[in-house]
Amino acid sequence: MDMTLTAKIKIYPTAEQAEVLKTTLSAYRQACNAVSVVIFDTKVLAQAKLHDMTYRLLRSNYALRSQMAQSVIKTVIARRYRSLKSNGHEWTLVRFKKPEYDLVWNRDYSIVQGLFSVNTLEGRIKVPFEPKGMEQYFDGSWMFGTAKLVYKHNKFFLHIPMTKTIPTVDEHNIRQVVGVDVGVNFLAVAYDSQGKTTFFHGRKIKHMRAKYKRMRKNLQQKGTASARRKLKTIGQRENRWMTDVNHMITKALVRQYGERTLFVLEDLTGIREKTERVRIHDRYETVSWAFYQFRQMLEYKARLHGSKVIVVAPHYTSLTCPKCGHTEKANRKKRTHTFCCRTCGYTSNDDRIGAMNLQRKGIEYIVEETTKA
């Protein structure tokens, strides 16, 4: 099965090359806006017709090279107007504000002698890049797709979709099952087939979330234009931080348990609605954590390492005794994060109980899959 990941590669142009890239990005953005106006006015989305209507304009007014002009047309059609139609949004004029440029592999960019060769208004330039931590994507086994040149925070990046055929691990070859309960007090609790538990503590993370919450509240109360700009900056910073935390935890899980592991997660779809019952004081920290992002990261990393992730229904995972099977709401005390079975007396941390029950569901899944006729 094919797997596609987007690698974000930082490139290091010289000062002169950087100016050429900025000029190219600016011309590309202006050209996208020009084509956007044509589409908005005519409602034409057929690429061949738009090519006839705009190609000469793009070449003469914005000095775009032939391939760039064609990329502009494709970019505006695909990224904006078709998404508007498919999402049922009103027909509005789409504006391109960010300095971005779509590059087709082997036409607009390639790798030559360890450098990226990038097409610009002034022809090809060769720039070094930082492959550290991404060496595996440059071993020749990955296919490069249409990249995006991005200029952000005075730095240049290539966002490159990379595709490779990676076999899915067969259930018959699974050697261990790990239940992973995700939350806020413990970002993740993993329980494995050897009965060992690993806790990823979340207290510092929770305090940081509370700090962001206070900052956001203060800025919202000000309501000034500068406060709104600051709010946006803080939101972006918080998202980057959340992504980094999820990356570190999922990476640690995959490294710790190795290949042929089945990771079992709760299906937390709809977590925002479910947490409306959480105390108002704790609601922001609970609702806003990126659980789905955690799942996506663990899925692709597990697959890269010959493992697998499944999600199961979350019902009663923290209320069911993993020893005797007794299920009762009174088994769990949320305030103290403890579990005590009312029938057999088994006691433990409630998140650990969740991980244990998820691990059991994973075993049931393996048995079911391997005994099918």
Side-chain angles (χ1 to χ4, degrees), residues 354-369:
M356 293 175 74
N357 284 319
L358 289 171
Q359 197 262 354
R360 174 181 54 80
K361 289 187 177 184
I363 294 174
E364 293 172 354
Y365 166 83
I366 292 293
V367 171
E368 182 180 342
E369 291 297 311

Side-chain angles (χ1 to χ4, degrees), residues 14 16 39 78-79 176 179 188 220 237 247 252 281 337 352:
T14 64
E16 183 179 347
I39 294 177
R79 200 189 308 168
Q176 70 171 330
Q220 287 171 339
R237 186 189 308 156
H247 171 69
H281 178 71
H337 299 287
R352 179 174 178 268

Side-chain angles (χ1 to χ4, degrees), residues 52-237:
D52 293 339
M53 297 166 64
T54 63
Y55 180 77
R56 290 182 181 178
L57 171 74
L58 297 176
R59 294 296 304 275
S60 61
N61 288 17
Y62 305 100
L64 298 187
R65 301 168 76 84
S66 177
Q67 181 58 41
M68 288 185 196
Q70 296 178 50
S71 291
V72 163
I73 298 169
K74 292 179 182 178
T75 295
V76 182
I77 293 173
R79 200 189 308 168
R80 297 302 187 188
Y81 284 96
R82 282 190 177 159
S83 63
L84 274 180
K85 290 185 70 176
S86 62
N87 292 330
H89 295 158
E90 292 184 6
W91 188 262
T92 56
L93 176 62
V94 177
R95 298 190 181 278
F96 290 76
K97 299 179 181 179
K98 296 180 180 179
E100 298 177 350
Y101 163 30
D102 290 344
L103 304 97
V104 178
W105 174 245
N106 280 335
R107 290 186 182 179
D108 296 313
Y109 81 109
S110 58
I111 297 179
V112 178
Q113 298 178 337
L115 302 172
F116 270 116
S117 175
V118 180
N119 196 16
T120 72
L121 295 180
E122 298 184 16
R124 292 263 181 173
I125 61 171
K126 295 178 181 179
V127 293
F129 62 98
E130 179 54 73
K132 186 177 180 180
M134 298 188 180
E135 293 85 354
Q136 60 177 317
Y137 301 121
F138 297 92
D139 63 4
S141 63
W142 293 80
M143 292 178 59
F144 288 33
T146 298
K148 188 186 304 297
L149 176 65
V150 175
Y151 181 61
K152 196 172 185 179
H153 305 303
N154 297 318
K155 299 173 184 177
F156 290 94
F157 298 89
L158 281 172
H159 295 183
I160 308 174
M162 299 181 171
T163 302
K164 181 179 181 179
T165 300
I166 299 178
T168 304
V169 63
D170 186 87
E171 283 77 8
H172 290 83
N173 296 323
I174 293 293
R175 63 179 180 83
Q176 70 171 330
V177 179
V178 177
V180 182
D181 184 88
V182 294
V184 176
N185 290 289
F186 289 106
L187 296 181
V189 179
Y191 183 83
D192 62 29
S193 296
Q194 287 71 47
K196 295 181 180 179
T197 308
T198 301
F199 291 89
F200 294 87
H201 295 274
R203 182 172 295 176
K204 291 182 179 179
I205 305 298
K206 189 175 182 180
H207 289 167
M208 182 65 76
R209 302 290 289 167
K211 178 182 176 181
Y212 276 116
K213 178 184 176 181
R214 290 193 299 272
M215 293 169 63
R216 184 175 280 105
K217 182 179 179 181
N218 291 336
L219 289 169
Q220 287 171 339
Q221 288 175 343
K222 288 184 178 180
T224 62
S226 60
R228 287 193 292 272
R229 288 194 296 270
K230 186 68 173 176
L231 268 171
K232 183 177 180 181
T233 301
I234 288 175
Q236 293 171 340
R237 186 189 308 156

Side-chain angles (χ1 to χ4, degrees), residues 175-180 188-200 248-261 263 298 301-302 305 307:
R175 63 179 180 83
Q176 70 171 330
V177 179
V178 177
V180 182
V189 179
Y191 183 83
D192 62 29
S193 296
Q194 287 71 47
K196 295 181 180 179
T197 308
T198 301
F199 291 89
F200 294 87
M248 289 189 294
I249 297 174
T250 52
K251 184 178 180 180
L253 284 168
V254 170
R255 282 187 172 181
Q256 177 172 338
Y257 294 108
E259 63 180 3
R260 293 190 291 145
T261 297
F263 294 99
L298 186 59
K301 288 174 185 174
H305 288 79
S307 294

